[in-house]
Coordinates of all heavy atoms in Angstrom, one line a residue:
F466 N 29.5 99.3 -14.1 CA 30.6 100.0 -14.9 C 30.0 100.7 -16.1 O 30.3 101.8 -16.4 CB 31.7 99.0 -15.3 CG 32.5 98.5 -14.2 CD1 32.2 97.2 -13.7 CD2 33.5 99.3 -13.6 CE1 33.0 96.7 -12.6 CE2 34.2 98.8 -12.5 CZ 34.0 97.5 -12.0
I467 N 29.1 100.0 -16.8 CA 28.5 100.6 -18.0 C 27.3 101.4 -17.8 O 26.9 102.3 -18.6 CB 28.2 99.4 -19.0 CG1 27.9 100.0 -20.4 CG2 27.0 98.6 -18.5 CD1 27.8 98.9 -21.5
A468 N 26.7 101.3 -16.6 CA 25.4 102.0 -16.3 C 25.7 103.5 -16.0 O 24.9 104.4 -16.3 CB 24.7 101.4 -15.1
G469 N 26.9 103.8 -15.3 CA 27.2 105.1 -14.9 C 26.6 105.5 -13.6 O 27.0 106.5 -13.0
N470 N 25.6 104.8 -13.1 CA 25.1 104.9 -11.8 C 24.6 106.4 -11.5 O 24.9 106.9 -10.5 CB 26.1 104.5 -10.7 CG 26.6 103.1 -11.0 OD1 25.9 102.2 -11.4 ND2 27.9 103.0 -10.8
I471 N 23.9 106.9 -12.5 CA 23.3 108.2 -12.3 C 22.0 108.2 -11.6 O 21.1 107.4 -12.0 CB 23.1 108.9 -13.7 CG1 24.4 108.9 -14.5 CG2 22.5 110.3 -13.6 CD1 24.2 109.4 -15.9
P472 N 21.8 108.9 -10.5 CA 20.6 108.8 -9.7 C 19.4 109.1 -10.5 O 19.4 110.0 -11.3 CB 20.8 109.8 -8.6 CG 22.3 109.9 -8.4 CD 22.8 109.8 -9.8
M473 N 18.3 108.3 -10.3 CA 17.0 108.4 -11.0 C 17.1 108.1 -12.5 O 16.1 108.2 -13.2 CB 16.5 109.8 -10.9 CG 16.3 110.3 -9.4 SD 15.1 109.4 -8.5 CE 13.6 109.8 -9.4
V474 N 18.3 107.7 -13.0 CA 18.5 107.5 -14.4 C 19.0 106.0 -14.7 O 18.4 105.2 -15.4 CB 19.4 108.5 -15.1 CG1 19.6 108.1 -16.6 CG2 18.8 109.9 -15.0
S475 N 20.1 105.7 -14.1 CA 20.8 104.4 -14.4 C 21.3 103.7 -13.1 O 22.3 103.1 -13.2 CB 21.9 104.7 -15.4 OG 22.9 105.6 -14.8
E476 N 20.6 103.9 -12.0 CA 20.9 103.1 -10.8 C 20.0 101.9 -10.7 O 18.8 101.9 -10.8 CB 20.6 104.0 -9.6 CG 21.8 105.0 -9.3 CD 21.5 105.7 -8.0 OE1 20.4 105.9 -7.6 OE2 22.5 106.0 -7.3
I477 N 20.7 100.7 -10.6 CA 20.0 99.5 -10.4 C 19.7 99.2 -8.9 O 20.4 99.8 -8.0 CB 20.7 98.3 -11.0 CG1 22.1 98.2 -10.4 CG2 20.9 98.5 -12.5 CD1 22.9 97.0 -10.9
T478 N 18.7 98.4 -8.7 CA 18.4 98.1 -7.3 C 19.5 97.4 -6.5 O 19.7 97.8 -5.3 CB 17.1 97.2 -7.2 OG1 16.1 97.8 -8.0 CG2 16.6 97.0 -5.8
P479 N 20.2 96.5 -7.0 CA 21.4 95.9 -6.2 C 22.3 97.0 -5.8 O 22.9 96.9 -4.7 CB 22.0 94.9 -7.2 CG 20.9 94.5 -8.0 CD 20.1 95.7 -8.2
L480 N 22.5 98.1 -6.6 CA 23.4 99.2 -6.2 C 22.8 99.9 -5.0 O 23.5 100.4 -4.1 CB 23.6 100.1 -7.4 CG 24.5 101.3 -7.1 CD1 25.9 100.9 -6.6 CD2 24.6 102.2 -8.3
M481 N 21.5 100.1 -5.0 CA 20.8 100.8 -3.9 C 21.0 100.0 -2.6 O 21.2 100.6 -1.5 CB 19.3 101.0 -4.2 CG 19.0 101.8 -5.4 SD 19.7 103.5 -5.2 CE 18.9 104.0 -3.7
I482 N 21.0 98.7 -2.7 CA 21.2 97.8 -1.5 C 22.7 98.0 -1.0 O 22.9 98.1 0.2 CB 20.9 96.4 -1.8 CG1 19.5 96.2 -2.2 CG2 21.3 95.4 -0.7 CD1 19.1 94.8 -2.7
I483 N 23.6 98.0 -1.9 CA 25.0 98.2 -1.6 C 25.2 99.6 -0.9 O 26.0 99.7 0.0 CB 25.9 98.0 -2.8 CG1 25.9 96.6 -3.3 CG2 27.4 98.4 -2.5 CD1 26.4 95.6 -2.3
T484 N 24.6 100.6 -1.5 CA 24.7 101.9 -0.9 C 24.2 102.0 0.5 O 24.8 102.6 1.4 CB 23.9 102.9 -1.8 OG1 24.4 102.9 -3.2 CG2 24.0 104.3 -1.3
K485 N 23.0 101.3 0.8 CA 22.5 101.3 2.1 C 23.5 100.5 3.1 O 23.7 101.0 4.2 CB 21.2 100.5 2.1 CG 20.0 101.3 1.4 CD 19.6 102.5 2.2 CE 18.4 103.1 1.6 NZ 17.9 104.3 2.3
L486 N 24.1 99.5 2.6 CA 25.0 98.8 3.4 C 26.3 99.6 3.7 O 26.8 99.6 4.9 CB 25.5 97.5 2.7 CG 24.4 96.4 2.6 CD1 24.9 95.2 1.8 CD2 23.9 95.9 4.0
E487 N 26.7 100.4 2.8 CA 27.9 101.2 3.0 C 27.6 102.3 4.0 O 28.5 102.9 4.7 CB 28.4 101.9 1.7 CG 29.0 100.8 0.7 CD 29.3 101.5 -0.6 OE1 28.9 102.6 -0.9 OE2 30.1 100.8 -1.4
Q488 N 26.3 102.7 4.1 CA 25.9 103.7 5.1 C 25.5 103.0 6.4 O 24.9 103.7 7.3 CB 24.7 104.5 4.5 CG 25.0 105.3 3.3 CD 23.8 105.8 2.6 OE1 22.6 105.6 3.0 NE2 24.0 106.7 1.6
Y489 N 25.7 101.7 6.6 CA 25.4 101.0 7.8 C 23.9 101.0 8.1 O 23.5 100.8 9.2 CB 26.2 101.5 9.0 CG 27.7 101.5 8.8 CD1 28.4 102.6 8.4 CD2 28.4 100.3 9.0 CE1 29.8 102.5 8.2 CE2 29.8 100.2 8.8 CZ 30.4 101.3 8.4 OH 31.8 101.3 8.2
D490 N 23.1 101.2 7.0 CA 21.7 101.1 7.2 C 21.2 99.7 6.8 O 20.7 99.4 5.7 CB 21.0 102.1 6.3 CG 19.5 102.2 6.4 OD1 19.0 101.5 7.3 OD2 18.8 102.9 5.7
Y491 N 21.5 98.7 7.7 CA 21.2 97.3 7.3 C 19.7 97.0 7.2 O 19.3 96.2 6.3 CB 21.8 96.4 8.4 CG 23.3 96.6 8.6 CD1 23.9 97.1 9.7 CD2 24.2 96.3 7.5 CE1 25.3 97.2 9.8 CE2 25.5 96.5 7.6 CZ 26.1 96.9 8.8 OH 27.4 97.1 8.9
T492 N 18.9 97.6 8.0 CA 17.5 97.4 7.9 C 16.9 98.0 6.6 O 16.0 97.4 6.0 CB 16.7 98.0 9.1 OG1 17.1 99.4 9.2 CG2 17.1 97.3 10.4

Side-chain angles (χ1 to χ4, degrees):
F466 293 100
I467 195 172
N470 309 321
I471 303 173
M473 305 293 294
V474 176
S475 59
E476 278 186 329
I477 57 175
T478 306
L480 178 61
M481 298 301 302
I482 296 174
I483 295 297
T484 302
K485 293 288 185 181
L486 292 175
E487 290 176 347
Q488 298 171 354
Y489 301 101
D490 184 6
Y491 300 118
T492 53

